[in-house]
């Protein structure tokens, strides 16, 4: 087992022993590794971390990062370096649906600030927090490449565009009723334009 | 009517499928290039076309390709930049989502021209669902023999892969993109060496924008000289413009370079004018990084000539009175918009996205964000305007990558053209915000 990851969270060697991804995920990881020349398998790290996050309730724990390092034959610190750089990786537990509202200029021009306040009020949480039932985490993010259909939010793989308060109600109520986790890697994305 | 080369078939049902795409002339350029042209001929046609990089910098594509080093026995790579994170830009997403095969077709011809046998499309992580669309299209292309071993029975082979990122604007910068593709943090590299000599895994590499690569197919089909006839002067061909903000018809438009800006904003064929009958206040014409211009200067140059959508016309007057075409992210602001708050928004963005390697960029962006926030709180002084000016001037040109410049230019241009707005806040100690949502949904009350 690799060296301990230096992060804010404690590394738990006992927990680490129990980690194993699903067969499907491991197969996908092998496929990704085959895309690069011999000896360059580290290139698979970012795609693999997306899979790891989906396999681990939407976040990357020190134990999972250590496991990923072993899969790619690299040092755990190389995994942590990358995981901590990119905003789509969560280093803390998150709710089942992470709501990511764009806060950048074009969305701001069309009311994103008010959409964010509205969601905060509706869910009773502030940006960065998770609802007590573990259903929603609210994040604000930078331009999602959807400025022509602003304001916009992303939940897992799905884009929700041209947001209004009513539309936000509908979308969040639906997610709550379905109650399942949404990952970036989901195949059943739906984009509401 | 403007001529369409990239989006000609955007409204054909099923155009994302190979059979429909083929039925509308798709993959003809691959047949032409692989069967009747040498790789050098393809490069030559692209040179003749005058095509310039559509990712932002506008560097001539054919010239860039001719710099690619070709040492014996070393693989070369083509990497498509589908990171598209410049605020205001969403054209690449539209193209990939609607007509994914147009990018794949361009990738095959371009890879052939450059001698790449393994090419990658690096797409921002937020576009995960678009990566699925591309992967499905790539699968179709493999099955039909457009990708893989001995394409069309020639001795040219190509493997094409999609790689997702994970949320970092800086990974759009080509050397940061290469680092990210190697499984590292997106820290831009010091140049030289340029990617053309030592790029992906130290091998010669070309990085091109999605739209640039897609444009190669029509260029090969029609010939470089024909393509160069579209547009004006050194701004040849068509360009995808992402239009957003306070306009009646936001969206992605393919224009012939040379279209007057005024027509683009007010014609019903394009943006359809300003929403709610408001007046135009300012435009950011090429994505968040380019200088903002007030209404009079975006419509007409300082010499009083109509401003055109070309690299040259938008830059006319330099940064004193001009701007840049950039990525074509066209953000329109109406008379009620606070330039100061928009600038704070942009500056916060650059601070958030700075990779932190260079002190002027890392510290300067954060400092400017803090000062601009004082304006929003009504605690800024007149001297803060000079301080902002001073900081931005000390970032520009003093960093490893152009993100530093991209953070400085919006600040300089906002102060240059809208100084009185900063002064009013500094004098009155008041900042009045307008609720945008109310304005949007209850225009009668506004
Ligand atoms: C901070 C920064 C972000 C960039 N983002 C992008 C991007 O998202 N897409 C893109 O094509 N080019 C982007 N570029 C430009 C690339 O570095 C590079 O010039 C471009 O991909 C080259 O392709 P082209 O010649 O086809 O335009 C960015 C540059 C910088 C400095
Ligand atoms: S200019 Fe900014 S983003 Fe670019 S390398 Fe320096 S610190 Fe990083
Ligand atoms: S500014 Fe929100 S999607 Fe671009």
């Amino acid at each position: 087992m690799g060296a301990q990851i230096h992060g804010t969270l404690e590394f738990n060697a006992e927990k680490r022993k129990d980690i194993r991804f699903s067969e499907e995920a491991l197969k996908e990881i092998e496929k990704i590794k085959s895309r690069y020349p011999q000896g360059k398998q580290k290139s698979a790290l970012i795609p693999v971390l997306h899979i790891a996050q989906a396999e681990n309730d939407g976040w990357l724990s020190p134990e999972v990062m250590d496991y990923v390092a072993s899969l790619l034959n690299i040092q755990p610190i190389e995994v942590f370096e990358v995981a901590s750089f990119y905003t789509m990786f969560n280093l803390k537990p998150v709710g089942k649906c992470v709501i990511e509202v764009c806060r950048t200029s074009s969305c701001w021009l069309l009311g994103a600030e008010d959409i964010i306040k509205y969601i905060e009020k509706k869910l009773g949480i502030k940006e960065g927090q998770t609802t007590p039932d573990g259903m929603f985490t609210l994040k604000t993010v930078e331009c999602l490449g959807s400025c022509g259909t602003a304001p916009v939010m992303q939940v897992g793989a799905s884009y929700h565009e041209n947001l209004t308060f009513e539309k936000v109600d509908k979308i969040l109520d639906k997610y709550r009723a379905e109650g399942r986790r949404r990952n970036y890697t989901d195949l059943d994305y739906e984009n509401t334009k | 009517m403007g001529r369409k080369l990239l989006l000609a078939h955007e409204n054909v049902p099923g155009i994302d499928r190979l059979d429909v795409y083929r039925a509308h002339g798709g993959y003809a350029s691959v047949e032409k290039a692989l069967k009747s042209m040498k790789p050098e001929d393809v490069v030559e046609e692209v040179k003749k076309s005058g095509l310039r990089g559509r990712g932002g910098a506008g560097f001539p594509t054919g010239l860039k390709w001719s710099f690619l080093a070709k040492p014996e026995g070393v693989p070369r790579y083509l990497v498509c930049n589908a990171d598209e994170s410049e605020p205001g830009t969403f054209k690449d997403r539209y193209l990939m989502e609607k007509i994914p095969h147009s990018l794949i077709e361009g990738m095959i011809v371009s890879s052939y021209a450059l001698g790449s046998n393994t090419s990658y499309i690096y797409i921002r992580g937020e576009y995960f669902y678009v990566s699925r669309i591309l992967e499905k299209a790539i699968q179709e292309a493999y099955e039909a023999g457009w990708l893989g071993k001995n394409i069309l029975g020639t001795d040219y082979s190509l493997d094409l892969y999609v790689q997702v990122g994970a949320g970092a604007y800086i990974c759009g910068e080509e050397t940061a993109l290469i680092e990210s593709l190697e499984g590292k943090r997106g820290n831009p590299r010091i140049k030289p060496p340029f990617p053309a000599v030592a790029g992906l895994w130290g091998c010669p590499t070309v990085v091109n924008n999605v739209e640039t690569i897609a444009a190669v197919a029509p260029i090969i089909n029609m010939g470089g000289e024909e393509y160069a006839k579209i547009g004006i002067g050194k701004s040849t061909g068509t360009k995808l413009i992402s239009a957003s903000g306070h306009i009646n018809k936001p969206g992605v438009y393919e224009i012939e370079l040379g279209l007057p800006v005024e027509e683009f904003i007010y014609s019903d064929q394009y943006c359809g004018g300003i929403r709610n009958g408001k007046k135009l206040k300012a435009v950011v014409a090429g994505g968040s990084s380019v200088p903002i211009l007030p209404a009079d200067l975006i419509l007409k140059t300082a010499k009083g000539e109509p401003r055109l959508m070309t690299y040259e016309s938008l830059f006319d007057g330099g940064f004193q009175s001009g701007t840049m075409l950039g990525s074509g992210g066209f953000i329109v602001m109406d008379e009620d918009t606070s330039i100061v708050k928009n600038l704070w928004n942009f500056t916060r963005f650059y601070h958030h996205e700075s990779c932190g390697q260079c002190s002027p960029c890392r510290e300067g962006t954060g400092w400017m964000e803090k000062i601009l926030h004082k304006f929003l709180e009504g605690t800024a002084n007149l001297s803060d305007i000079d301080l902002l000016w001073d900081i931005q001037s000390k970032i520009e040109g003093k960093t490893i990558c152009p993100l530093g410049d991209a953070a400085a230019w919006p600040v300089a241009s906002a102060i240059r053209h809208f100084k009185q707005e900063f002064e009013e806040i500094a004098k009155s100690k008041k900042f009045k915000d307008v609720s945008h949502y109310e304005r949007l949904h209850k225009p009668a009350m506004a």
Side-chain angles (χ1 to χ4, degrees), chain A residues 85, chain B residues 169-170 173 175-176 186-189 350 353-363 365 395 398-405 407:
Chain A
F85 185 85
Chain B
Y169 167 64
I170 193 58
E173 194 280 332
T175 60
N187 287 343
R189 295 176 180 172
Y350 289 108
E353 299 299 330
S354 166
C355 84
Q357 287 190 108
C358 328
S359 358
C361 171
R362 181 188 62 236
E363 303 300 324
T365 50
I395 302 175
K398 296 177 182 66
T399 55
I400 295 175
C401 92
L403 187 139
D405 302 337

Side-chain angles (χ1 to χ4, degrees), chain B residues 163-178:
Chain B
Q163 172 102 352
V164 288
Y169 167 64
I170 193 58
C171 291
E173 194 280 332
E174 57 184 10
T175 60
L177 185 151
I178 290 170

